[in-house]
Amino acid sequence: RAFSKNPTKPRRSILFMCFSGEERGMIGSGYYANNPVFPNEEMIAELQMDMIGRNEEVVDRRSGEVTEKAEDNVNSLHLIGSKKLSESLHNTCVAINNAHIGFDFEYDEEDVFYRSDHVKFAQKDIPVAFFFTGFHPQYHRPDDTVEKINFPKLARVAKLVYSVAFEIGDADQRPKRDRLWKDVPQRRRR
């Protein structure tokens, strides 16, 4: 809605996508990446939002002790994978956040990079940035219900991603790709 209502449009097209089947092997994103509407070579970046409406809360599985409280993460946001292929995409995300939104970026969930839809685009050498507010005890459980969503935080994440998308969509140059997927260190299997 923000892009459609803004009378000023970015110079590049923006494609909005929703995927299904992430937990079953990233089926939807994998299908699109292998069968794109527009050639992958023309895609300048993939900006991923997943689980952006909660405050991270970490509970030790063995002891049940809360090691990171939700109220301590009201302003935290994980920026994942943004340096893997493009330092300039990462720098754009950081600069826009610092100038306009003000999240405290965290970089301690990089392992999540390999398990969400954006990785299918990175595998096609498309720079990615994954915005994620972190795990919580209700992750993938039926008690992860709507009243637990922090809607103001969700709106701030959406504003940040909108601003990044507009910036890179209207820039003279696409984000510089520093490396290819084959050069990205791969996760070791446990």
Side-chain angles (χ1 to χ4, degrees):
R1 184 181 309 151
F3 278 105
S4 68
K5 293 205 179 274
N6 188 342
T8 304
K9 307 295 182 204
R11 290 182 276 175
R12 292 183 179 90
S13 297
I14 296 177
L15 180 63
F16 292 87
M17 294 183 263
C18 297
F19 303 113
S20 62
E22 180 195 52
E23 285 80 10
R24 296 189 179 240
M26 296 170 268
I27 295 169
S29 57
Y31 180 85
Y32 181 86
N34 289 323
N35 303 279
V37 173
F38 303 104
N40 284 332
E41 299 76 29
E42 293 179 17
M43 194 167 177
I44 65 166
E46 194 267 355
L47 306 177
Q48 177 84 18
M49 291 182 286
D50 192 354
M51 292 179 52
I52 60 167
R54 296 284 304 271
N55 298 326
E56 182 174 40
E57 182 177 0
V58 180
V59 178
D60 184 275
R61 289 184 180 179
R62 291 185 181 152
S63 69
E65 178 185 341
V66 176
T67 59
E68 198 170 335
K69 297 177 183 173
E71 58 266 21
D72 294 335
N73 286 307
V74 172
N75 199 48
S76 66
L77 178 65
H78 296 278
L79 179 59
I80 299 170
S82 56
K83 288 185 176 183
K84 297 259 192 247
L85 299 175
S86 174
E87 290 280 335
S88 69
L89 177 59
H90 173 80
N91 293 339
T92 298
C93 294
V94 171
I96 289 174
N97 177 62
N98 290 346
H100 304 290
I101 308 297
F103 277 113
D104 299 323
F105 278 159
E106 294 185 1
Y107 302 99
D108 61 346
E109 289 287 356
E110 278 297 312
D111 192 51
V112 177
F113 174 81
Y114 298 96
R115 26 184 291 217
S116 195
D117 290 311
H118 59 272
V119 77
K120 294 300 184 179
F121 295 90
Q123 289 170 342
K124 300 291 185 183
D125 298 322
I126 299 165
V128 300
F130 177 30
F131 302 87
F132 171 61
T133 56
F135 292 105
H136 48 77
Q138 296 79 31
Y139 173 66
H140 281 187
R141 295 176 38 118
D143 58 335
D144 187 9
T145 52
V146 70
E147 72 276 357
K148 294 177 181 80
I149 293 175
N150 178 340
F151 285 102
K153 184 174 191 173
L154 185 148
R156 287 178 64 217
V157 175
K159 286 177 186 177
L160 173 61
V161 175
Y162 168 86
S163 299
V164 171
F166 198 99
E167 176 73 20
I168 65 176
D170 201 47
D172 291 333
Q173 302 293 320
R174 61 193 299 148
K176 181 180 180 277
R177 190 176 57 211
D178 301 306
R179 64 196 62 79
L180 301 174
W181 174 254
K182 68 180 180 61
D183 301 318
V184 172
Q186 300 303 305
R187 176 176 64 172
R188 284 184 247 159
R189 299 282 178 207
R190 294 179 187 171

